[in-house]
Amino acid sequence: MTEAITEKRIILEMGTGNDLYGADYTKAAIRAVHDALHHSSIVLFKSLGYDHLSMRVQVTIGVQEPDKVDTDRVAAELPRGRAEVTAVFGGLNVRDDEQDTTHVIATAAVEAYLPVDAAEWKLCS
């Protein structure tokens, strides 16, 4: 019996980013992705001979106004894999009425998936 090759999530990283004075949701989202990426080092590509192009990277950005995120610009910031970026309601806006400014805080979840042939992996005791 052979098992089919399926995608398995191999990485989940989270990050936060902000734009304090421009209310730029895309800038905050990009900073959140950079924060998440700085928490990881994916050595398995070189160690196991995987091509990083076989990795699908799913990015979910949480902001108060998801329609203001340029998801193509966020995707362009990812150095490896095939990026898919979705903006959803989340994050936080902090309003400073005295300065007439909205501080935008974005959160990012970066998930990496690889096709895995379960027959090639075995747990040893």
Side-chain angles (χ1 to χ4, degrees), residues 54-119:
S54 64
M55 177 177 63
R56 181 174 62 88
V57 181
Q58 175 62 50
V59 178
T60 305
I61 301 293
V63 290
Q64 289 290 295
E65 297 187 48
D67 57 316
K68 291 187 176 179
V69 175
D70 182 339
T71 56
D72 291 334
R73 277 186 50 209
V74 175
E77 294 294 316
L78 293 157
R80 303 274 187 273
R82 299 176 328 275
E84 300 171 3
V85 179
T86 305
V88 299
F89 181 78
L92 181 65
N93 282 356
V94 178
R95 183 76 188 143
D96 182 346
D97 290 327
E98 190 173 304
Q99 301 295 321
D100 191 28
T101 303
T102 299
H103 307 294
V104 174
I105 303 169
T107 57
V110 179
E111 301 171 88
Y113 294 84
L114 274 178
V116 173
D117 182 353

Side-chain angles (χ1 to χ4, degrees), residues 26-39:
T26 300
K27 183 185 286 187
I30 288 170
R31 289 177 175 171
V33 167
H34 285 185
D35 182 50
L37 294 177
H38 286 98
H39 293 283

Side-chain angles (χ1 to χ4, degrees), residues 9-21:
R9 184 173 68 182
I10 59 165
I11 296 168
L12 170 62
E13 290 291 348
M14 285 75 61
T16 59
N18 61 66
D19 184 30
L20 296 178
Y21 300 106

